[in-house]
Structure formats: C-alpha cells, structure tokens
Amino acid sequence: MFKPKVPTMPQPAGLITRPTVVEPTAAVQHTPPSPTPLSVPTAAARPTVQFTPGAVVALVGGGTAVVLVVGAVLVSMLLAVAVTGASIAICALVIRSLITSADQHR
C-alpha cells in the first residue's frame, strides 16, 4: 500500500527502424596559428554625452512626475489600509456592544 508503483514505459507502437551506423571520416590535421605579439590595449574612444538645457528640464520634469505618481499610489494604498482597519474596529465594537446588551436584557 505504501510502496510507490513506478509506471513502465510502454513499447512504441509503429514502425521501428534500426539505428544507422555512422562511419568515421578521415581526420584533418590543423596547424596552430603562429603566435602574434601582444599589443597594448588602447582606451576605446567613447562619445561624450552632452545634455541640452531642454533635455535637462525634460529629465527633471519626468523624474518629478514619476515621484509624484508613485507617492500618490503609495499614500492611497496606506489610506485604504487605514480606513479598512478603522471600519473593522468600529464593527467589532458594535458587535461587542450588541452582544453585551443582549446578555443584560435576559
């Protein structure tokens, strides 16, 4: 009962072909390339990035917009959690009050 049963692989149904034998071909010897003298690496010439005043204003404006949107989303999520917690607390107080008043009227 507790021993697992391993399923067996069923035999393939259909045409079965024998594996083909691959004959080795003649080996070709490669001559190693002659060593070349090491050259001193030079620093790659990278283009200098230059910002125009308009591009700087656009970057600052875009960054400010992203920060404001993310901040608004996070504040709204925090507010939603706070409102939910307060409403659950008020519901718990009302239910407790109803239960205690029902016990006193008996």
Side-chain angles (χ1 to χ4, degrees):
M1 179 175 155
F2 294 109
K3 291 183 180 179
K5 293 182 181 178
V6 180
T8 58
M9 183 70 182
Q11 294 297 323
L15 297 176
I16 300 173
T17 59
R18 293 183 175 218
T20 58
V21 178
V22 177
E23 298 281 333
T25 58
V28 177
Q29 291 185 350
H30 294 283
T31 57
S34 61
T36 58
L38 296 176
S39 62
V40 178
T42 59
R46 289 187 269 175
T48 305
V49 178
Q50 295 178 351
F51 291 111
T52 62
V56 172
V57 170
L59 285 174
V60 169
T64 303
V66 167
V67 167
L68 289 176
V69 168
V70 170
V73 168
L74 292 177
V75 167
S76 64
M77 289 173 61
L78 180 64
L79 184 62
V81 169
V83 167
T84 304
S87 65
I88 289 174
I90 290 172
C91 289
L93 288 174
V94 169
I95 291 172
R96 189 177 76 176
S97 173
L98 290 173
I99 291 174
T100 56
S101 65
D103 288 341
Q104 289 175 356
H105 292 298
R106 285 187 183 183

